[in-house]
Amino acid sequence: MVLFRSIRLIACVATCVLLASPATAVPIETSDKLSERGSAGGKRIILWETSLTAELKSIPKLLATAATLSSSTVIKSITNWETKRPQELPKKLPFRPMVRTPQHLTGDNWNSLISVVSSQKNTIVHFYNEPDRSGISAADAVAQWRQKMLPLRQKYGVKLVAPGCASDPNGSNWLQTFMGMLAANEKPDYLNLHFYTLPTNPCDQEIKNAETFFTEKHNTYKLPIIVGEIASTSRDKTQVEDFTKEVSKWLDGQSWIVEYGFFGVSTKVADDFVSPAAQMLDANGAWTALGKWWIGE
């Protein structure tokens, strides 16, 4: 995974700062024209770990695993925290490129992005991954947003996603500052929200915490939401499965949730914060039981 362990450790305090109860969200209709559909009606994102592409030669099973996505009716899109599409994944699935860092705004990374947005209809482009944890100020992000990202919307008609921040107070404050500096015509088309549970909290409590967090952010910004990363960090398999399935059901039922991605599509556990029970692939590159459920098998 491209995220650092320190990011996850800080992000896991999300549930400590949520308010007691969610407000009723005002639905925002999201037209299919806003995003090219890759399935019959699913909202799920395959968060294809960047390292998987490099592992294709050493783990040949990954090619067959990737091919199974072509028949999924619940997977809507794919992303890999990069601007270059993983060629091993089915072409029918729209790719969501990500300008993950300032380094993605120049050179080969930027050229790859231009190649994608000029050849794929209705591209949704993500901008910055947890900048609140990587020393990027909201003011610097706004400057790059205006200089590099908004012209993409004007020239190629892409839809832009706000920076995906951690779900702790620092992340929320960073996002508030960023959004507050933008004029009405500069706002993103979507929010990108991350949520990781506390490993020792009961599953039922964390389900409510997640629902509250997403609802409050929707009520605050009145924008449709992409849940860019979410997972249970519990080491209990049943707790992980219950959280994943119940939150997925809830997300599917919210008209203002455009798509969402549960973390764990990798052959190795990313770090000691991520739960082995949340892995969607095994060491041999095959879908785990949870992974099979995630892709609708």
Side-chain angles (χ1 to χ4, degrees):
M1 183 185 177
V2 297
L3 302 179
F4 295 103
R5 177 175 178 271
S6 60
I7 292 175
R8 295 189 174 282
L9 290 173
I10 299 174
C12 75
V13 302
T15 56
C16 297
V17 298
L18 299 173
L19 298 179
S21 61
T24 302
V26 178
I28 291 181
E29 293 299 323
T30 57
S31 169
D32 283 350
K33 293 182 180 179
L34 297 183
S35 58
E36 187 177 349
R37 297 299 292 253
S39 67
K43 293 184 178 183
R44 299 177 188 178
I45 310 168
I46 289 293
L47 303 180
W48 191 253
E49 173 59 47
T50 305
S51 63
L52 293 174
T53 301
E55 291 176 341
L56 290 174
K57 290 183 179 179
S58 60
I59 309 178
K61 173 66 177 175
L62 282 170
L63 284 174
T65 295
T68 62
L69 296 173
S70 63
S71 59
S72 175
T73 60
V74 295
I75 300 302
K76 181 176 180 180
S77 68
I78 55 176
T79 193
N80 66 344
W81 295 276
E82 297 291 343
T83 57
K84 185 175 181 179
R85 181 188 180 97
Q87 293 303 307
E88 63 271 19
L89 297 182
K91 295 294 187 289
K92 65 166 278 188
L93 292 172
F95 173 56
R96 313 300 195 208
M98 180 183 291
V99 177
R100 178 167 49 89
T101 69
Q103 288 68 43
H104 287 72
L105 292 165
T106 59
D108 290 343
N109 288 317
W110 185 254
N111 292 337
S112 293
L113 177 63
I114 297 303
S115 177
V116 171
V117 301
S118 61
S119 61
Q120 178 180 272
K121 291 177 57 180
N122 306 318
T123 303
I124 294 174
V125 181
H126 287 258
F127 178 64
Y128 284 176
N129 187 71
E130 298 193 345
D132 49 306
R133 297 297 162 216
S134 55
I136 300 172
S137 71
D140 286 345
V142 167
Q144 294 297 336
W145 178 265
R146 288 171 173 157
Q147 180 180 351
K148 303 288 284 191
M149 303 305 289
L150 290 178
L152 294 178
R153 184 157 66 186
Q154 295 162 1
K155 183 174 181 179
Y156 298 101
V158 306
K159 300 297 179 180
L160 298 176
V161 188
C165 297
S167 52
D168 61 7
N170 286 336
S172 292
N173 290 338
W174 193 102
L175 180 61
Q176 183 179 30
T177 302
F178 176 85
M179 295 292 286
M181 296 177 71
L182 299 177
N185 64 343
E186 297 175 324
K187 301 289 187 184
D189 299 284
Y190 307 108
L191 294 182
N192 177 9
L193 300 180
H194 294 183
F195 186 91
Y196 289 89
T197 71
L198 289 171
T200 57
N201 276 358
C203 177
D204 289 349
Q205 179 181 338
E206 289 293 6
I207 291 171
K208 292 179 181 177
N209 288 339
E211 293 173 359
T212 300
F213 177 70
F214 297 136
T215 301
E216 289 176 346
K217 287 294 183 284
H218 174 66
N219 286 341
T220 297
Y221 296 106
K222 300 297 189 295
L223 287 173
I225 289 170
I226 293 174
V227 180
E229 293 181 33
I230 183 172
S232 170
T233 64
S234 172
R235 268 48 182 174
D236 183 277
K237 180 179 179 181
T238 300
Q239 293 273 308
V240 170
E241 291 181 354
D242 287 350
F243 178 85
T244 303
K245 294 178 180 181
E246 288 301 315
V247 173
S248 292
K249 180 180 178 181
W250 184 83
L251 292 170
D252 284 335
Q254 311 310 308
S255 63
W256 39 271
I257 297 289
V258 178
E259 53 190 30
Y260 59 94
F262 270 81
F263 182 76
V265 185
S266 60
T267 58
K268 303 177 185 68
V269 180
D271 51 44
D272 58 5
F273 179 71
V274 176
S275 173
Q279 286 296 106
M280 304 242 180
L281 296 179
D282 63 24
N284 297 316
W287 295 110
T288 61
L290 184 63
K292 289 180 179 179
W293 176 85
W294 178 248
I295 67 171
E297 285 192 352

